[in-house]
Amino acid sequence: MSHEPWWKSAVAYQIYPRSFMDSNGDGIGDLNGITSKLDHLTALGVDVVWLSPHFDSPNADNGYDIRDYRAVMAEFGTMDDFDRLLAGLTERGIELIVDLVVNHTSDQHAWFVASRSSPDDPYRDFYIWRDGVDGGPPNNYPSFFSGSAWTFDDSTGQYYLHYFARQQPDLNWEHPAVRAEVYDIMRFWLDKGVAGFRMDVIPFISKQPGLPDLTREQLRSPQDTYASGPRVHEFLHEMYVEALAGRDAMTVGEAFGVGFEQAPLFTDARREELSMIFHFDLVRLDRRHWRRVPWTLPQFRAVLQATDDAAGEHGWATSFLCNHDNPRAVSHFGDDSPTWRVASAKALATVMLTQRATPFLYQGDELGMTNFPFRTIDDYDDVEVKGLWRTLVETGKVPGDELLHHLAHTARDHARTPMQWTAAPDGGFTTGTPWLAVNPNTAEINAAEQLDDPESVFHHHRRLIALRRAHPVLVHGAYRDLDPAGERVLAYTRTLAGAQVVVIVNMGADPVEHALPGEVGIGDTLLTSSGPAPLPGSSIVALAGWQSIVAATV
Ligand code: ISL
Ligand code: CA
């Protein structure tokens, strides 16, 4: 495996800086706060950190609206603080990738300020301006944050395009000068020593020629159209050549709207585009936009299989169950009740950390942190949630209680509440008033207590990460689902040359006896188990509620 790139065997950890650790008491997480907690990452054993946007931003979308790509957000600190964080990670052997948000900028970026100043401004074509049609927007594109994806600008009498908030105007990637600026920004951070980029909604950068209206069918899932522009692969290959070639960089594209069949076009190494992508099929399995819908284990495991198939022989995949845009994994796919939270968090970690993919842990999931008990719309912060309330509830389309019921499961804020470091009411996150409330269950779920408990969710993650490092079969081994139609127990093998392991996870609270196929037997090397050890040589495995097992096979 020596010829394999470093990022295939790496375990990544996503940090949402606003909520990780506050070092100066203003209630907002910051870079020095992260630096003060690097021992936590070392103890966990992760290899690379994905830092959500740390750049100067007015925070219309918590940093995903960038005003200056070469400056650090004032709330997060200074460039010296960034350099200090990077040095701290480097001396611990941990790489850093930063968040490249270049489908759009902030409306306060100098480029947009110039662009909107006059139709003749040299920066006009950095963005997408169109005349209105019949007194309305140029087409029927919706924004993901509710309403139209077009905003009329009085100063020049045209509309500009924004797939997200009106404060996030989309860049015009058809303009070579835009692409040249982006590649220069990438080289700036690579030269500082970052190891690569997570690329925000990167498939959206190529727009449909002529920007025709979406059909009724396309309107049901606009991201599919937004992600299938004709030049996306040309742009990504040019980006590779201009900014990434020869850097041994790790890139992961947020492939919102990209189907499994298109994935190889982004990740086949021979195409020199991206290292890997995030699919959304798992985290959106039980969602129809803001509504929550039931999911089944066969659906869940079908996505695991499709993800592995899409990576194929020449590509690579990611595995993740949570990020800053999704509910907490244990609340989403596990059971966050006091009885089953620990066991189910361990079970989900076992699944995520034994895939043929680079795992991306989200801050706090290593503790089994849960969703937050939001009660009213005022408890929420997210621009997306506020947009839903404004366009659905305030217009009378949806009762407030109905939207709140679904948001209690699907809102992005659940993953944005502060990291729970201690049992104190402030979670040890801040000495001030946190920007978003700390979950009251920090008394039961916090890093301090788990560090001292070898049976904690934290140490289960630590052991699994160590297993990946010790057993190449867990990284590169072929994936085979042993029972695709299974409704209760997720069981699969990973096989590489002479080595084979079997992963068996009870995805429910009821105890169950699971029969493995004849050719798969539990060997005598039990790699990890969150309950009673199975008998070596057995092919009938008794599993306690939410028990997970990783074992060598005979
Ligand atoms: O809720 C969503 C869309 O309806 C999310 O999936 C998210 O908006 C989408 O995945 C794109 O996410 C990325 O771009 C957004 C930003 O708000 C997200 O935080 C970021 O991860 C715009 O930059
Ligand atoms: Ca702070």
Side-chain angles (χ1 to χ4, degrees):
M1 292 302 134
S2 57
H3 63 285
E4 294 287 3
W6 63 273
W7 35 261
K8 284 192 174 181
S9 54
V11 174
Y13 184 93
Q14 180 191 358
I15 290 178
Y16 192 69
R18 200 171 188 81
S19 307
F20 193 71
M21 181 62 196
D22 171 23
S23 70
N24 63 350
D26 66 357
I28 300 172
D30 46 57
L31 300 185
N32 286 334
I34 301 172
T35 302
S36 74
K37 292 294 184 182
L38 293 183
D39 289 346
H40 177 76
L41 302 181
T42 306
L44 191 53
V46 297
D47 305 289
V48 56
V49 163
W50 154 27
L51 183 64
S52 273
H54 68 284
F55 313 97
D56 173 42
S57 165
N59 286 303
D61 185 16
N62 288 359
Y64 281 91
D65 50 315
I66 296 170
R67 179 168 49 199
D68 183 344
Y69 288 92
R70 293 181 180 80
V72 172
M73 188 191 302
E75 295 93 322
F76 290 166
T78 65
M79 189 60 89
D80 284 347
D81 297 331
F82 177 85
D83 293 340
R84 187 176 305 113
L85 170 59
L86 182 56
L89 287 165
T90 304
E91 73 190 31
R92 286 170 173 77
I94 300 174
E95 299 286 358
L96 176 67
I97 66 173
V98 294
D99 211 320
L100 190 70
V101 186
V102 289
N103 171 70
H104 48 271
T105 70
S106 162
D107 62 345
Q108 295 183 27
H109 193 291
W111 297 337
F112 189 71
V113 172
S115 180
R116 82 185 318 172
S117 69
S118 158
D120 306 320
D121 188 279
Y123 283 92
R124 186 69 171 181
D125 282 346
F126 265 56
Y127 296 87
I128 297 163
W129 294 93
R130 294 290 187 280
D131 292 330
V133 170
D134 301 335
N139 72 12
N140 68 351
Y141 278 11
S143 157
F144 289 109
F145 295 161
S146 302
S148 167
W150 297 95
T151 289
F152 185 72
D153 186 60
D154 284 318
S155 55
T156 58
Q158 284 193 308
Y159 288 81
Y160 65 89
L161 179 65
H162 53 82
Y163 284 164
F164 294 94
R166 60 178 175 73
Q167 299 94 325
Q168 295 170 290
D170 279 47
L171 281 166
N172 172 21
W173 274 72
E174 302 295 326
H175 191 355
V178 166
R179 304 203 301 268
E181 288 280 2
V182 168
Y183 306 153
D184 198 45
I185 290 162
M186 293 173 71
R187 287 190 291 266
F188 173 85
W189 291 102
L190 288 165
D191 290 347
K192 285 185 74 69
V194 306
F197 302 93
R198 176 267 189 182
M199 299 189 189
D200 193 61
V201 290
I202 198 69
F204 289 2
I205 58 178
S206 172
K207 280 18 182 198
Q208 299 295 347
L211 299 176
D213 274 355
L214 296 185
T215 63
R216 278 175 57 80
E217 183 57 26
Q218 288 172 329
L219 277 168
R220 293 160 59 87
S221 183
Q223 61 271 21
D224 298 356
T225 303
Y226 295 169
S228 52
R231 299 185 69 187
V232 65
H233 298 294
E234 174 196 340
F235 292 157
L236 286 176
H237 181 65
E238 182 185 71
M239 173 192 280
Y240 179 89
V241 171
E242 295 293 329
L244 295 163
R247 298 250 193 184
D248 195 22
M250 169 182 175
T251 53
V252 50
E254 186 199 20
F256 186 38
V258 170
F260 289 118
E261 64 288 346
Q262 299 150 310
L265 296 176
F266 290 89
T267 66
D268 184 324
R270 297 167 297 182
R271 295 171 54 89
E272 297 183 328
E273 292 188 21
L274 299 174
S275 310
M276 60 194 96
I277 59 176
F278 291 136
H279 289 286
F280 279 69
D281 304 71
L282 206 51
V283 287
R284 298 175 80 87
L285 187 63
D286 58 344
R287 289 186 52 181
R288 298 295 172 268
H289 193 204
W290 52 271
R291 288 183 188 281
R292 187 194 196 199
V293 298
W295 61 280
T296 68
L297 184 56
Q299 291 170 332
F300 184 96
R301 63 202 308 168
V303 174
L304 295 179
Q305 185 66 63
T307 302
D308 182 66
D309 295 345
E313 184 188 347
H314 299 286
W316 194 245
T318 58
S319 77
F320 69 102
L321 294 174
C322 181
N323 58 31
H324 64 291
D325 292 333
N326 283 281
R328 286 280 177 189
V330 72
S331 302
H332 197 174
F333 299 110
D335 178 336
D336 61 11
S337 68
T339 309
W340 295 110
R341 180 178 54 74
V342 172
S344 68
K346 290 179 178 180
L348 294 171
T350 302
V351 175
M352 189 192 54
L353 286 160
T354 58
Q355 296 297 309
R356 190 175 71 96
T358 296
F360 278 75
L361 264 175
Y362 178 67
Q363 68 179 45
D365 272 8
E366 78 274 22
L367 305 177
M369 278 175 62
T370 68
N371 282 353
F372 185 91
F374 296 112
R375 286 180 37 260
T376 74
I377 189 61
D378 297 328
D379 293 342
Y380 289 95
D381 163 81
D382 182 15
V383 60
E384 183 173 23
V385 167
K386 303 292 190 183
L388 288 170
W389 187 267
R390 187 177 64 251
T391 55
L392 296 176
V393 177
E394 290 175 2
T395 58
K397 293 192 185 73
V398 173
D401 289 350
E402 180 180 350
L403 180 61
L404 288 171
H405 168 75
H406 288 279
L407 291 174
H409 298 283
T410 62
R412 304 197 302 177
D413 291 275
H414 288 295
R416 300 177 179 187
T417 64
M419 265 295 276
Q420 293 165 203
W421 296 106
T422 71
D426 57 24
F429 165 72
T430 180
T431 55
T433 304
W435 72 279
L436 191 63
V438 175
N439 198 314
N441 67 19
T442 192
E444 295 84 38
I445 306 170
N446 61 75
E449 284 174 15
Q450 293 197 28
L451 217 49
D452 297 335
D453 170 7
E455 293 314 309
S456 64
V457 177
F458 175 86
H459 282 295
H460 188 76
H461 279 80
R462 182 186 55 74
R463 282 190 289 271
L464 284 165
I465 292 167
L467 279 180
R468 275 188 78 87
R469 187 166 288 116
H471 300 272
V473 62
L474 287 173
V475 177
H476 300 284
Y479 178 89
R480 177 181 157 227
D481 188 330
L482 297 178
D483 178 15
E487 304 269 359
R488 282 295 313 282
V489 173
L490 183 54
Y492 50 88
T493 54
R494 303 288 312 280
T495 309
L496 181 70
Q500 183 178 69
V501 299
V502 62
V503 179
I504 313 163
V505 183
N506 181 354
M507 292 290 280
D510 298 333
V512 65
E513 290 214 344
H514 182 71
L516 292 169
E519 73 276 16
V520 177
I522 301 277
D524 53 8
T525 308
L526 179 66
L527 299 175
T528 178
S529 171
S530 61
L535 291 174
S538 54
S539 57
I540 302 281
V541 186
L543 295 163
W546 287 103
Q547 183 177 353
S548 50
I549 294 172
V550 181
T553 61
V554 285

